[in-house]
Amino acid sequence: MKPRFILVFTLFVYLIGYHLPIANASANSVQEISDMASIVEEEGLSIQQWEVLAKENINPEKANEIAAFMEDHYPDASLSTEERDHGTKLIWNRHKNNDVSETYIIVIPDDSNYDYEFIFKLNGSAWNPSIVEYSQEIITTMKNHFFTENVTKFSCLKTQPNDKIDNVIFLENVLKNWNVQTLDEMKENDFVVLSGYTSRWETVIPTADKPMNIQLAARKGLGGKTTFTIGTPIIVTEY
């Protein structure tokens, strides 16, 4: 199944001609995940997975600097190479006590007219004080060493409603508790995607009428189980 977020986000881009970077990208990703985790736990649900992603175009010199940093500071990271149609990916993977996974990616284009790209991913399946502390530490390191004000960032969290609460009730509770202003909604037989704005988070995407900084998705999968995803400012993982 293809990522459903592509259809929704492409619609926004087509309608308003929006291009990254996102405004106010310095907002606290750790706080965003904490907010998502809190509302999930308040509903008596468990976290399936959370993720923070940051990306920025870089030049070859910066790419060499990042590669040297990885070699010097993270010798425990495993390095792999992935050939793509239009370039090469250098991928470093690290794991923190099996609770947090880190992925560092440098995309090297075949065409020298295009910029290199640096992508940083941080994800896990649990959220507790020690993970919060470590996540804040590593994100601060990335911000201080590699990213500028042009960074684009995304945060998301997945959960599954249980027998006590279905996806409709959970969706309504998030909208109410965070005072989300709905901007767009898409419904099909097996999934719902809602885009909107909440004053809880600073990072926004400007749309034709109002700023947008939250997407909520509910998708029914195999066995009739529904996966619920919360993302800011958009969802950039498959749901």
Side-chain angles (χ1 to χ4, degrees):
M1 182 177 293
K2 294 183 179 179
R4 296 290 178 79
F5 80 89
I6 293 177
L7 180 61
V8 178
F9 188 52
T10 301
L11 177 62
F12 273 99
V13 173
Y14 176 77
L15 291 175
I16 65 176
Y18 173 74
H19 297 282
L20 297 174
I22 297 170
N24 298 327
S26 61
N28 192 325
S29 298
V30 173
Q31 183 58 51
E32 292 166 354
I33 297 296
S34 292
D35 289 343
M36 297 176 193
S38 293
I39 199 165
V40 164
E41 292 168 353
E42 286 172 4
E43 298 294 337
L45 306 180
S46 60
I47 298 170
Q48 279 192 314
Q49 185 181 34
W50 59 267
E51 179 177 283
V52 172
L53 182 148
K55 55 194 290 190
E56 184 172 351
N57 289 341
I58 59 175
N59 57 38
E61 291 75 18
K62 174 62 74 171
N64 289 333
E65 178 185 334
I66 294 171
F69 182 94
M70 294 300 299
E71 183 176 352
D72 293 340
H73 293 79
Y74 299 146
D76 60 323
S78 62
L79 173 61
S80 61
T81 302
E82 183 178 314
E83 299 294 335
R84 305 300 294 264
D85 291 340
H86 303 291
T88 302
K89 282 185 175 182
L90 302 179
I91 305 169
W92 289 267
N93 286 296
R94 297 181 72 222
H95 298 279
K96 178 70 173 179
N97 298 327
N98 296 321
D99 290 327
V100 178
S101 296
E102 304 162 34
T103 305
Y104 305 79
I105 302 172
I106 296 177
V107 181
I108 304 172
D110 291 334
D111 189 338
S112 60
N113 292 316
Y114 289 90
D115 290 328
Y116 286 41
E117 186 177 41
F118 177 54
I119 302 168
F120 169 66
K121 297 180 183 179
L122 189 70
N123 60 63
S125 57
W127 192 251
N128 55 50
S130 63
I131 294 178
V132 169
E133 182 179 359
Y134 181 75
S135 298
Q136 185 65 66
E137 176 185 328
I138 196 67
I139 289 173
T140 299
T141 298
M142 291 299 100
K143 177 181 176 182
N144 291 341
H145 285 274
F146 304 129
F147 291 116
T148 71
E149 67 277 2
N150 294 320
V151 63
T152 61
K153 71 173 192 63
F154 311 90
S155 304
C156 77
L157 182 146
K158 292 184 179 181
T159 185
Q160 279 191 337
N162 53 33
D163 295 336
K164 297 180 180 179
I165 179 171
D166 62 26
N167 60 294
V168 174
I169 295 176
F170 183 52
L171 175 63
E172 291 176 348
N173 288 347
V174 174
L175 295 177
K176 179 180 179 181
N177 291 341
W178 288 355
N179 192 28
V180 176
Q181 302 173 33
T182 302
L183 301 176
D184 185 71
E185 187 173 6
M186 179 181 297
K187 291 184 177 180
E188 289 191 8
N189 292 334
D190 62 345
F191 81 104
V192 176
V193 182
L194 183 149
S195 303
Y197 171 79
T198 174
S199 60
R200 178 176 292 271
W201 300 321
E202 295 179 1
T203 304
V204 298
I205 292 175
T207 68
D209 300 318
K210 295 181 179 180
M212 166 186 155
N213 66 355
I214 185 171
Q215 278 193 326
L216 306 166
R219 181 179 67 84
K220 184 176 294 185
L222 297 176
K225 291 186 176 181
T226 298
T227 298
F228 198 94
T229 307
I230 308 172
T232 180
I234 61 171
I235 299 171
V236 291
T237 61
E238 182 175 358
Y239 53 76

